[in-house]
Amino acid sequence: MSPSGMECFVGPLGGVGHRVPTVPIGEGRITVADLGEFGLIAALAARMPQGPGTVIGIGDDAAVLAAPDSRVVATMDLLVEGRHFRRDWSGPVDIGGKAAAQSLADIAAMGAAPTALIVGLAVPSDLPVVWAEDLATGLAQECARAGASVAGGDIAEAATIVLAVTALGDLAGAAPVTRAGARPGDLVAVAGSLGHSAAGLALLRAGLAEPASLVAVHRWPRPPYDAGPEAARLGATSMIDISDGLGQDLGHVAAASGAGIDIESARLEPDQALRAAAAALGGLDPLDWVLAGGEDHALAVTFPPGTDLPERWVVIGQVDEGSGVRLDSRPSGRLSGWNHFR
Amino acid sequence: MSPSGMECFVGPLGGVGHRVPTVPIGEGRITVADLGEFGLIAALAARMPQGPGTVIGIGDDAAVLAAPDSRVVATMDLLVEGRHFRRDWSGPVDIGGKAAAQSLADIAAMGAAPTALIVGLAVPSDLPVVWAEDLATGLAQECARAGASVAGGDIAEAATIVLAVTALGDLAGAAPVTRAGARPGDLVAVAGSLGHSAAGLALLRAGLAEPASLVAVHRWPRPPYDAGPEAARLGATSMIDISDGLGQDLGHVAAASGAGIDIESARLEPDQALRAAAAALGGLDPLDWVLAGGEDHALAVTFPPGTDLPERWVVIGQVDEGSGVRLDSRPSGRLSGWNHFR
């Protein structure tokens, strides 16, 4: 019947403290069914402190958030267990952190500063409460890194875990940077890592744990949020969050802008960790992860020619009069990234 | 790996028109797997026209929406197949309409006007595209009724259908009406129907289709959105959307306000349709649906004593110095509503 959810949190206070006597001792054995809807919401809310921009947070029909710019930036990402994460490969703190990062990066990619998350969490009744609590911790930690907080949401029962994360953001007077403004002659630059998450996933699939830095990025990417507003200030003509792979996401920019993009492989030199992972996996070419791996949530931006870029921006190519994305002036199958439903 | 979703819509245009030649003829046989992520997004976007408050809609990393009040109201509701809807009991247009109504009503319950939805849709690969298209039609129709539009979202693959609907709204300068402001002496009033959805569900469970008006409300409730801002203008001291049942939701108001609420059964007379349904189901008491049935998404509001209420508001009780909700001055088990995870 009807959900209500986090917005309805006015139930028993104290979360896990409110165990019914029939529940076995031991944190890990308390399930969400034991705690019930309102007890679970209280337990999660306790791990997600309210941020300064939150006028009304968890506990009413809806949250009320400051939107000082008089415009609000909004996006949603879904994470489905078995598709976007595996509980045997990632712990709940990591999954919460990754879920938050994924949506918050989309806000940064418009040139905005993240302000809040609204989180929907569908879980099985037999899920241990500590798992959900750790997920909330991860959500809150990544929010804090981005300057945002969790302001509301909903919970529901489902056979497998589904996370729906809406992120909101504020443009602080800037014009939103879309995918459609790239012009021939513009520089193409990237802030953040490329290919690390894909390499980490390949390692996990092969049962390997090293290089650990790559596995860590796969489990919990750390997008460079402040690079988004910085790019807007620097005059970015277009911007996108690299979620599906550099080649595919730049393809969206090229298509939306009616331009071509040529990227230079020499500027995308895989780092030591990627080379080590490629060697460990039997001699793969690590450049493939850089070109087609998603989920690091780097930002790819086009800037007017001659823009003086701070050090973290790496110029990787140029916009031209053509169409689509080319590698060293040629079309390349190595640029294909992730697609759903295939 | 990474979702991207509606915010990434820059793929093949035209949706269903882009069939691959291997797909069997017949609308109903095209699946989301046939169409692919970007084709599906295009097909859905075509059914969800952009609203006037949408600065940037479907097609970028995030949407940008007008927030003229400099605050934004935000909420999310999850709908899980088999829990919140059944495909054999409700068609996709109804499910889309209901999903939208559920979240939009939470915006109205803060005293705000709905502006936009951000929709996450997790679906099986073999789902017919027409089902998803009809869902989008329902979402768009209910949005239009509320003065809002669908501005973005995400799609993903999942074994069962999960809908995550974030609604946003604008307060137009009004103070948000929370659950916490009810004061002893206030009137308790309701706008919208009570118990119709629960009666409709009971009819469906029994294999009955009449009274059809009740089944229709269960499939697609029609909350009185403009009653929310109207209540705020009339000086509402507290407000809640009835999603889990009148007794339970007024219990949230009582707890948050530190007050008691006494409702009078004589003011909650079940209407002719509810009486007919109760008779058809073997002599149930239809008042139980009115007291404990959720999902009609009526608004329950407390007003200062003596407030001159327009005709659609029905006074059903009064706030007092006590605690909890009472029926005719006594505690009653008939006031319990829906709970998750039990």
XYZ file of all heavy atoms in Angstrom, chain A residues 9-111:
726
model
N 9.331 10.452 9.276
C 9.988 10.073 10.515
C 9.518 10.909 11.688
O 9.901 12.041 11.882
C 11.504 10.164 10.376
C 12.213 10.243 11.702
C 11.876 9.370 12.726
C 13.180 11.190 11.929
C 12.495 9.450 13.948
C 13.798 11.268 13.150
C 13.463 10.405 14.171
N 8.621 10.358 12.432
C 8.234 10.917 13.725
C 7.959 9.748 14.652
O 7.282 9.874 15.638
C 6.980 11.804 13.628
C 7.324 13.158 13.054
C 5.919 11.112 12.815
N 8.477 8.582 14.293
C 8.203 7.364 15.042
C 9.114 7.234 16.250
O 9.664 8.211 16.734
N 9.285 6.009 16.732
C 10.110 5.773 17.913
C 11.516 6.312 17.723
O 12.121 6.106 16.682
C 10.112 4.241 18.036
C 9.571 3.718 16.743
C 8.706 4.794 16.185
N 12.023 6.991 18.696
C 13.345 7.588 18.594
C 14.418 6.590 18.989
O 14.174 5.656 19.729
C 13.437 8.804 19.515
C 12.513 9.949 19.117
C 12.484 10.998 20.199
C 12.965 10.558 17.797
N 15.609 6.782 18.503
C 16.742 6.057 19.043
C 17.208 4.878 18.232
O 18.234 4.292 18.526
N 16.474 4.504 17.204
C 16.947 3.499 16.269
C 17.231 2.176 16.927
O 16.375 1.604 17.599
N 18.452 1.713 16.754
C 18.809 0.368 17.182
C 18.565 0.170 18.678
O 18.321 -0.940 19.137
C 20.274 0.081 16.813
C 20.754 -1.211 17.427
C 20.401 0.005 15.306
N 18.631 1.252 19.425
C 18.362 1.153 20.850
C 16.977 0.596 21.169
O 16.759 0.049 22.239
N 16.073 0.730 20.213
C 14.706 0.282 20.454
C 14.483 -1.161 20.056
O 13.527 -1.481 19.380
C 13.730 1.162 19.683
C 13.361 2.377 20.448
N 12.142 2.585 21.008
C 14.102 3.451 20.776
C 12.107 3.745 21.633
N 13.293 4.293 21.496
N 15.346 -2.048 20.456
C 15.142 -3.450 20.126
C 13.960 -4.012 20.897
O 13.784 -3.745 22.069
C 16.369 -4.261 20.507
C 17.525 -3.974 19.619
C 18.752 -4.694 20.125
N 19.910 -4.010 19.618
C 21.104 -4.122 20.166
N 21.278 -4.883 21.231
N 22.106 -3.477 19.644
N 13.214 -4.835 20.187
C 12.188 -5.572 20.917
C 12.878 -6.751 21.578
O 13.858 -7.278 21.065
C 11.049 -6.033 19.980
C 10.328 -4.815 19.456
C 11.574 -6.875 18.838
N 12.401 -7.196 22.720
C 13.104 -8.197 23.505
C 13.292 -9.531 22.787
O 14.199 -10.291 23.099
C 12.206 -8.387 24.737
C 11.295 -7.214 24.761
C 11.184 -6.715 23.374
N 12.431 -9.820 21.810
C 12.515 -11.119 21.138
C 13.656 -11.199 20.132
O 13.949 -12.264 19.615
C 11.209 -11.390 20.371
O 10.971 -10.285 19.496
C 10.041 -11.528 21.326
N 14.295 -10.073 19.857
C 15.347 -10.075 18.841
C 16.640 -10.639 19.436
O 17.024 -10.273 20.535
C 15.580 -8.643 18.337
C 16.816 -8.560 17.466
C 14.354 -8.168 17.583
N 17.325 -11.531 18.702
C 18.563 -12.097 19.228
C 19.593 -11.002 19.482
O 19.640 -10.004 18.759
C 19.056 -13.016 18.114
C 17.941 -13.156 17.154
C 17.012 -12.020 17.365
N 20.427 -11.222 20.472
C 21.492 -10.272 20.765
C 22.502 -10.278 19.618
O 22.740 -11.294 18.994
C 22.209 -10.672 22.085
C 21.217 -10.667 23.241
C 23.389 -9.749 22.379
C 20.533 -9.358 23.503
N 23.131 -9.144 19.370
C 24.149 -9.071 18.323
C 23.703 -8.133 17.235
O 22.740 -8.402 16.537
N 24.422 -7.028 17.104
C 24.054 -5.961 16.166
C 23.663 -6.509 14.801
O 22.654 -6.145 14.237
C 25.253 -5.017 15.980
C 25.512 -4.087 17.137
C 24.510 -2.959 17.214
O 23.955 -2.581 16.184
O 24.277 -2.466 18.328
N 24.506 -7.393 14.265
C 24.340 -7.840 12.890
C 23.080 -8.640 12.670
O 22.700 -8.885 11.538
N 22.436 -9.061 13.738
C 21.272 -9.916 13.563
C 19.963 -9.155 13.626
O 18.908 -9.722 13.389
C 21.307 -11.037 14.590
C 22.627 -11.813 14.465
C 22.635 -13.041 15.306
N 21.540 -13.934 14.949
C 21.299 -15.064 15.607
N 22.054 -15.403 16.617
N 20.307 -15.836 15.251
N 20.012 -7.892 13.977
C 18.792 -7.080 13.945
C 18.488 -6.763 12.483
O 19.327 -6.214 11.775
C 18.970 -5.745 14.699
C 19.657 -5.932 16.032
C 17.638 -5.022 14.834
C 18.780 -6.418 17.110
N 17.306 -7.096 12.035
C 16.945 -6.829 10.646
C 16.044 -5.599 10.564
O 15.513 -5.134 11.574
C 16.186 -8.019 10.030
O 14.913 -8.125 10.684
C 16.963 -9.318 10.205
N 15.872 -5.121 9.354
C 14.979 -3.976 9.181
C 13.548 -4.347 9.564
O 12.791 -3.499 10.025
C 15.042 -3.401 7.748
C 16.450 -2.925 7.428
C 14.575 -4.394 6.725
N 13.194 -5.631 9.404
C 11.854 -6.056 9.832
C 11.706 -5.941 11.342
O 10.648 -5.559 11.846
C 11.594 -7.496 9.381
N 12.775 -6.280 12.087
C 12.726 -6.154 13.545
C 12.496 -4.706 13.957
O 11.752 -4.409 14.892
C 14.047 -6.621 14.177
C 14.318 -8.098 13.944
O 13.342 -8.873 13.902
O 15.490 -8.461 13.793
N 13.175 -3.816 13.269
C 13.170 -2.412 13.676
C 11.902 -1.698 13.201
O 11.409 -0.790 13.852
C 14.408 -1.736 13.073
C 15.040 -0.591 13.856
C 15.337 -0.989 15.285
C 16.327 -0.166 13.152
N 11.387 -2.094 12.059
C 10.204 -1.447 11.503
C 10.567 -0.161 10.779
O 11.684 0.353 10.884
N 9.602 0.347 10.056
C 9.840 1.491 9.182
C 10.370 2.705 9.941
O 11.400 3.279 9.592
C 8.536 1.850 8.467
C 8.662 3.057 7.565
C 7.323 3.434 6.942
O 6.305 2.796 7.279
O 7.314 4.373 6.138
N 9.666 3.084 10.999
C 10.023 4.346 11.643
C 11.289 4.206 12.475
O 12.097 5.134 12.558
C 8.845 4.883 12.453
C 7.657 5.173 11.582
C 6.458 4.503 11.749
C 7.762 6.097 10.547
C 5.375 4.752 10.911
C 6.683 6.356 9.710
C 5.488 5.672 9.889
N 11.489 3.012 13.057
C 12.737 2.767 13.768
C 13.922 2.798 12.825
O 14.990 3.346 13.148
N 13.748 2.226 11.628
C 14.830 2.239 10.644
C 15.140 3.667 10.206
O 16.309 4.065 10.111
C 14.442 1.382 9.432
C 15.458 1.351 8.290
C 16.804 0.790 8.760
C 14.927 0.518 7.117
N 14.103 4.439 9.966
C 14.331 5.821 9.539
C 15.096 6.586 10.623
O 16.038 7.334 10.331
C 12.994 6.511 9.201
C 12.407 5.869 7.938
C 13.186 8.007 8.999
C 10.985 6.286 7.654
N 14.718 6.366 11.865
C 15.414 7.045 12.965
C 16.886 6.627 13.004
O 17.782 7.465 13.188
C 14.733 6.722 14.289
N 17.125 5.334 12.820
C 18.502 4.838 12.863
C 19.332 5.435 11.733
O 20.502 5.796 11.918
C 18.506 3.311 12.772
N 18.746 5.553 10.559
C 19.474 6.117 9.418
C 19.666 7.623 9.598
O 20.758 8.157 9.337
C 18.726 5.829 8.113
C 18.477 4.352 7.793
C 17.827 4.206 6.421
C 19.753 3.542 7.851
N 18.622 8.301 10.031
C 18.696 9.760 10.201
C 19.795 10.129 11.200
O 20.477 11.152 11.040
C 17.349 10.317 10.654
N 19.973 9.277 12.214
C 20.991 9.556 13.234
C 22.394 9.579 12.637
O 23.306 10.181 13.205
C 20.912 8.511 14.340
N 22.569 8.925 11.498
C 23.886 8.878 10.848
C 24.044 9.903 9.733
O 25.061 9.948 9.058
C 24.130 7.474 10.305
C 24.645 6.556 11.396
C 24.299 5.111 11.187
N 24.666 4.355 12.377
C 23.896 4.266 13.467
N 22.733 4.877 13.523
N 24.304 3.572 14.516
N 23.018 10.710 9.514
C 23.069 11.672 8.407
C 22.747 13.060 8.939
O 21.603 13.503 8.872
C 22.097 11.236 7.302
C 22.427 9.844 6.764
S 21.436 9.278 5.340
C 19.800 9.205 6.051
N 23.746 13.759 9.483
C 23.494 15.060 10.107
C 22.983 16.093 9.103
O 23.352 16.094 7.939
C 24.863 15.466 10.655
C 25.856 14.662 9.891
C 25.174 13.380 9.522
N 22.117 16.959 9.586
C 21.500 17.985 8.745
C 22.529 19.052 8.370
O 23.340 19.454 9.198
C 20.340 18.588 9.520
C 19.485 19.541 8.719
C 18.172 19.844 9.434
O 17.458 18.949 9.866
N 17.851 21.127 9.551
N 22.488 19.507 7.138
C 23.437 20.514 6.666
C 22.901 21.926 6.849
O 21.720 22.117 7.152
N 23.760 22.921 6.640
C 23.375 24.316 6.878
C 22.307 24.830 5.908
O 21.541 25.720 6.259
C 24.691 25.081 6.700
C 25.576 24.182 5.895
C 25.159 22.773 6.216
N 22.240 24.266 4.712
C 21.248 24.734 3.743
C 19.891 24.076 3.907
O 18.980 24.320 3.130
N 19.758 23.226 4.927
C 18.513 22.493 5.124
C 17.595 23.284 6.042
O 17.878 23.452 7.224
C 18.798 21.104 5.726
O 19.726 20.419 4.874
C 17.532 20.290 5.845
N 16.490 23.777 5.506
C 15.510 24.515 6.298
C 14.659 23.522 7.098
O 14.454 23.683 8.296
C 14.610 25.381 5.392
C 13.602 26.176 6.214
C 15.460 26.315 4.521
N 14.166 22.489 6.418
C 13.444 21.398 7.064
C 14.018 20.101 6.514
O 14.038 19.904 5.293
C 11.927 21.480 6.777
C 11.338 22.743 7.411
C 11.205 20.227 7.288
C 9.886 22.979 7.069
N 14.513 19.251 7.386
C 15.152 18.010 6.945
C 14.258 16.808 7.127
O 13.025 16.909 7.032
N 14.877 15.669 7.405
C 14.144 14.418 7.559
C 13.089 14.564 8.647
O 13.381 15.027 9.738
C 15.133 13.287 7.922
C 16.124 13.065 6.770
C 14.395 12.000 8.262
C 17.278 12.130 7.117
N 11.849 14.170 8.367
C 10.844 14.184 9.415
C 9.521 14.819 9.056
O 8.638 14.926 9.903
N 9.348 15.267 7.819
C 8.048 15.835 7.452
C 7.640 15.268 6.095
O 8.272 14.339 5.597
C 8.113 17.368 7.467
C 6.821 17.982 8.013
O 5.783 17.823 7.354
O 6.869 18.574 9.104
N 6.559 15.781 5.506
C 6.145 15.257 4.211
C 7.212 15.477 3.157
O 7.374 14.674 2.243
C 4.843 15.927 3.753
C 3.660 15.484 4.596
O 3.109 14.425 4.307
O 3.325 16.187 5.557
N 7.933 16.577 3.259
C 8.981 16.896 2.296
C 10.031 17.746 2.998
O 9.759 18.347 4.041
C 8.398 17.656 1.103
N 11.219 17.770 2.434
C 12.288 18.634 2.930
C 12.142 20.020 2.312
O 11.535 20.178 1.255
C 13.645 18.050 2.569
N 12.684 21.018 2.995
C 12.761 22.367 2.428
C 14.225 22.785 2.473
O 14.879 22.700 3.518
C 11.892 23.369 3.201
C 11.996 24.766 2.570
C 10.436 22.919 3.227
N 14.744 23.180 1.309
C 16.168 23.467 1.176
C 16.386 24.857 0.612
O 15.613 25.323 -0.233
C 16.790 22.441 0.217
C 16.609 20.999 0.689
C 16.689 20.033 -0.467
C 17.631 20.686 1.756
N 17.449 25.495 1.061
C 17.809 26.789 0.500
C 18.183 26.630 -0.972
O 18.865 25.683 -1.361
C 18.991 27.380 1.272
N 17.709 27.550 -1.799
C 18.064 27.591 -3.217
C 18.387 29.050 -3.545
O 17.645 29.717 -4.264
C 16.913 27.068 -4.080
N 19.502 29.542 -2.993
C 19.776 30.990 -3.037
C 19.838 31.561 -4.450
O 19.554 32.740 -4.661
C 21.135 31.118 -2.331
C 21.681 29.729 -2.201
C 20.514 28.806 -2.238
N 20.177 30.725 -5.418
C 20.311 31.186 -6.801
C 18.956 31.411 -7.486
O 18.905 31.952 -8.585
C 21.125 30.135 -7.562
C 21.263 30.461 -9.007
O 22.144 31.270 -9.348
O 20.467 29.928 -9.822
N 17.853 30.972 -6.841
C 16.509 30.992 -7.449
C 16.367 30.033 -8.630
O 15.403 30.116 -9.401
C 16.079 32.402 -7.883
O 15.960 33.223 -6.728
N 17.368 29.189 -8.800
C 17.242 28.031 -9.688
C 17.792 26.854 -8.885
O 18.640 27.038 -8.012
C 18.084 28.179 -10.963
C 17.624 29.293 -11.891
C 18.693 29.569 -12.945
N 19.926 30.037 -12.302
C 21.056 30.298 -12.965
N 21.121 30.131 -14.277
N 22.125 30.718 -12.310
N 17.309 25.666 -9.180
C 17.862 24.489 -8.506
C 18.266 23.476 -9.572
O 17.583 23.309 -10.578
C 16.858 23.898 -7.488
C 15.608 23.380 -8.174
C 17.503 22.804 -6.650
N 19.420 22.864 -9.358
C 19.912 21.821 -10.246
C 19.520 20.483 -9.628
O 19.667 20.303 -8.412
C 21.437 21.920 -10.412
C 21.944 20.891 -11.416
C 21.823 23.326 -10.854
N 18.986 19.564 -10.436
C 18.460 18.310 -9.878
C 18.763 17.140 -10.800
O 18.627 17.258 -12.022
C 16.954 18.424 -9.676
N 19.163 16.018 -10.220
C 19.456 14.828 -11.000
C 19.149 13.602 -10.163
O 19.013 13.701 -8.939
C 20.929 14.816 -11.441
O 21.154 13.715 -12.333
C 21.873 14.674 -10.249
N 19.004 12.446 -10.791
C 18.812 11.197 -10.047
C 19.632 10.083 -10.675
O 19.752 10.007 -11.890
C 17.342 10.775 -10.051
C 17.094 9.519 -9.198
S 15.469 8.797 -9.437
C 14.453 9.948 -8.522
N 20.194 9.241 -9.832
C 20.818 8.004 -10.295
C 20.256 6.835 -9.519
O 20.047 6.923 -8.309
C 22.341 8.057 -10.119
C 23.033 8.751 -11.275
O 22.921 8.259 -12.410
O 23.661 9.790 -11.040
N 20.028 5.750 -10.218
C 19.594 4.501 -9.601
C 20.787 3.568 -9.464
O 21.636 3.497 -10.364
C 18.557 3.807 -10.486
C 17.232 4.519 -10.694
C 16.412 3.765 -11.739
C 16.463 4.605 -9.394
N 20.857 2.851 -8.370
C 21.837 1.767 -8.198
C 21.082 0.505 -7.816
O 20.364 0.498 -6.812
C 22.849 2.084 -7.095
C 23.956 3.069 -7.459
C 23.487 4.479 -7.159
C 25.218 2.753 -6.691
N 21.247 -0.525 -8.609
C 20.538 -1.775 -8.398
C 21.554 -2.852 -8.012
O 22.572 -3.029 -8.693
C 19.785 -2.187 -9.684
C 19.041 -3.502 -9.480
C 18.830 -1.086 -10.125
N 21.261 -3.544 -6.909
C 22.136 -4.620 -6.458
C 22.304 -5.662 -7.565
O 21.345 -6.034 -8.230
C 21.527 -5.296 -5.216
C 22.395 -6.413 -4.678
C 21.836 -7.030 -3.400
O 20.688 -6.745 -3.049
O 22.579 -7.784 -2.753
N 23.540 -6.116 -7.756
C 23.804 -7.115 -8.778
C 24.094 -6.500 -10.136
O 24.632 -7.162 -11.020
N 23.687 -5.234 -10.301
C 23.937 -4.519 -11.559
C 25.000 -3.452 -11.352
O 25.942 -3.340 -12.113
C 22.662 -3.814 -12.043
C 21.562 -4.738 -12.368
C 21.359 -4.802 -13.880
N 21.010 -6.148 -14.271
C 21.261 -6.656 -15.474
N 21.850 -5.940 -16.402
N 20.918 -7.881 -15.772
N 24.795 -2.639 -10.327
C 25.703 -1.514 -10.083
C 26.629 -1.773 -8.908
O 27.600 -1.060 -8.713
C 24.913 -0.234 -9.816
C 23.989 0.126 -10.940
N 22.662 -0.132 -10.891
C 24.218 0.711 -12.134
C 22.085 0.283 -12.020
N 23.009 0.794 -12.784
N 26.284 -2.727 -8.086
C 27.176 -3.100 -6.977
C 26.866 -4.526 -6.562
O 25.791 -5.058 -6.868
C 27.021 -2.147 -5.781
C 25.660 -2.189 -5.126
C 25.379 -3.103 -4.115
C 24.655 -1.323 -5.530
C 24.126 -3.163 -3.522
C 23.390 -1.377 -4.943
C 23.136 -2.296 -3.940
N 27.846 -5.133 -5.902
C 27.666 -6.465 -5.332
C 28.053 -6.386 -3.870
O 29.098 -5.861 -3.527
C 28.568 -7.475 -6.058
C 28.043 -7.876 -7.417
C 29.021 -8.753 -8.161
N 29.444 -9.914 -7.362
C 30.011 -10.993 -7.888
N 30.215 -11.074 -9.203
N 30.402 -11.997 -7.120
N 27.198 -6.960 -3.023
C 27.472 -6.877 -1.589
C 28.708 -7.677 -1.198
O 29.294 -7.415 -0.151
C 26.253 -7.352 -0.787
C 25.262 -6.223 -0.573
C 24.242 -6.605 0.488
N 23.063 -7.213 -0.115
C 22.084 -7.779 0.593
N 22.169 -7.837 1.914
N 21.028 -8.291 -0.011
N 29.101 -8.662 -2.030
C 30.310 -9.419 -1.692
C 31.576 -8.706 -2.186
O 32.674 -9.079 -1.801
C 30.239 -10.846 -2.242
C 29.954 -10.892 -3.738
O 29.443 -9.889 -4.290
O 30.236 -11.922 -4.362
N 31.444 -7.703 -3.026
C 32.606 -6.964 -3.518
C 32.770 -5.603 -2.843
O 33.850 -5.022 -2.866
C 32.507 -6.747 -5.032
C 32.847 -7.973 -5.833
C 33.251 -9.185 -5.353
C 32.814 -8.105 -7.264
N 33.467 -10.054 -6.385
C 33.206 -9.425 -7.570
C 32.481 -7.235 -8.297
C 33.288 -9.893 -8.885
C 32.562 -7.704 -9.609
C 32.964 -9.015 -9.888
N 31.694 -5.077 -2.308
C 31.728 -3.740 -1.700
C 30.961 -3.765 -0.392
O 29.875 -4.356 -0.319
C 31.075 -2.697 -2.620
O 31.795 -2.541 -3.812
N 31.516 -3.128 0.607
C 30.809 -2.981 1.873
C 29.802 -1.854 1.790
O 29.823 -1.039 0.858
N 28.896 -1.766 2.763
C 27.813 -0.775 2.716
C 28.295 0.673 2.790
O 27.678 1.548 2.172
C 26.939 -1.141 3.920
C 27.795 -1.991 4.799
C 28.761 -2.702 3.905
N 29.382 0.923 3.522
C 29.875 2.306 3.572
C 30.322 2.728 2.166
O 29.991 3.817 1.684
C 31.029 2.461 4.591
C 31.489 3.920 4.656
C 30.600 1.992 5.979
N 31.083 1.836 1.500
C 31.509 2.108 0.126
C 30.322 2.308 -0.814
O 30.321 3.214 -1.648
C 32.342 0.932 -0.409
C 33.753 0.898 0.146
O 34.224 1.940 0.657
O 34.388 -0.162 0.066
N 29.326 1.464 -0.688
C 28.178 1.555 -1.604
C 27.441 2.876 -1.386
O 27.048 3.546 -2.343
C 27.242 0.339 -1.417
C 27.974 -0.938 -1.873
C 25.941 0.518 -2.198
C 27.282 -2.244 -1.460
N 27.291 3.276 -0.131
C 26.681 4.578 0.150
C 27.511 5.717 -0.412
O 26.980 6.653 -1.025
N 28.827 5.629 -0.201
C 29.716 6.662 -0.721
C 29.650 6.759 -2.234
O 29.579 7.855 -2.812
N 29.641 5.597 -2.887
C 29.594 5.571 -4.349
C 28.260 6.095 -4.875
O 28.220 6.849 -5.854
C 29.796 4.132 -4.832
C 29.772 3.951 -6.335
C 30.112 2.507 -6.688
C 30.270 2.323 -8.184
N 31.066 1.123 -8.498
N 27.177 5.705 -4.209
C 25.855 6.168 -4.641
C 25.774 7.687 -4.557
O 25.269 8.349 -5.473
C 24.766 5.532 -3.783
N 26.279 8.230 -3.469
C 26.260 9.688 -3.316
C 27.134 10.340 -4.379
O 26.727 11.304 -5.037
C 26.730 10.072 -1.915
N 28.348 9.805 -4.565
C 29.306 10.399 -5.508
C 28.731 10.479 -6.915
O 28.898 11.478 -7.627
C 30.602 9.589 -5.508
N 28.060 9.415 -7.294
C 27.538 9.329 -8.646
C 26.554 10.453 -8.953
O 26.616 11.064 -10.021
C 26.838 7.977 -8.734
C 26.636 7.463 -10.084
C 26.377 5.963 -9.996
O 27.279 5.163 -9.813
N 25.128 5.592 -10.094
N 25.659 10.735 -8.033
C 24.677 11.798 -8.254
C 25.281 13.180 -8.037
O 25.001 14.116 -8.790
C 23.474 11.616 -7.322
O 22.719 10.489 -7.718
N 26.109 13.308 -7.016
C 26.709 14.616 -6.726
C 27.596 15.075 -7.888
O 27.677 16.271 -8.186
C 27.520 14.531 -5.432
C 26.686 14.294 -4.150
C 27.586 13.847 -2.993
C 25.889 15.536 -3.770
N 28.266 14.116 -8.553
C 29.126 14.474 -9.685
C 28.320 15.074 -10.834
O 28.805 15.948 -11.557
C 29.900 13.243 -10.167
N 27.087 14.607 -10.994
C 26.240 15.177 -12.053
C 25.897 16.636 -11.769
O 25.709 17.425 -12.694
C 24.943 14.370 -12.192
C 25.144 13.064 -12.957
O 25.944 13.051 -13.905
O 24.481 12.077 -12.606
N 25.764 16.978 -10.494
C 25.515 18.376 -10.119
C 26.743 19.232 -10.462
O 26.627 20.301 -11.081
C 25.189 18.478 -8.613
C 23.915 17.705 -8.272
C 25.080 19.953 -8.191
C 22.652 18.187 -8.939
N 27.924 18.731 -10.062
C 29.165 19.461 -10.370
C 29.326 19.662 -11.869
O 29.813 20.708 -12.312
C 30.361 18.710 -9.785
N 28.905 18.662 -12.641
C 29.086 18.721 -14.089
C 28.222 19.779 -14.765
O 28.389 20.070 -15.951
C 28.816 17.349 -14.707
N 27.280 20.370 -14.043
C 26.533 21.517 -14.565
C 27.201 22.831 -14.164
O 26.731 23.909 -14.520
C 25.088 21.502 -14.055
C 24.284 20.270 -14.434
S 24.209 19.930 -16.213
C 23.095 21.239 -16.765
N 28.269 22.752 -13.363
C 28.919 23.949 -12.843
C 28.359 24.388 -11.503
O 28.644 25.504 -11.052
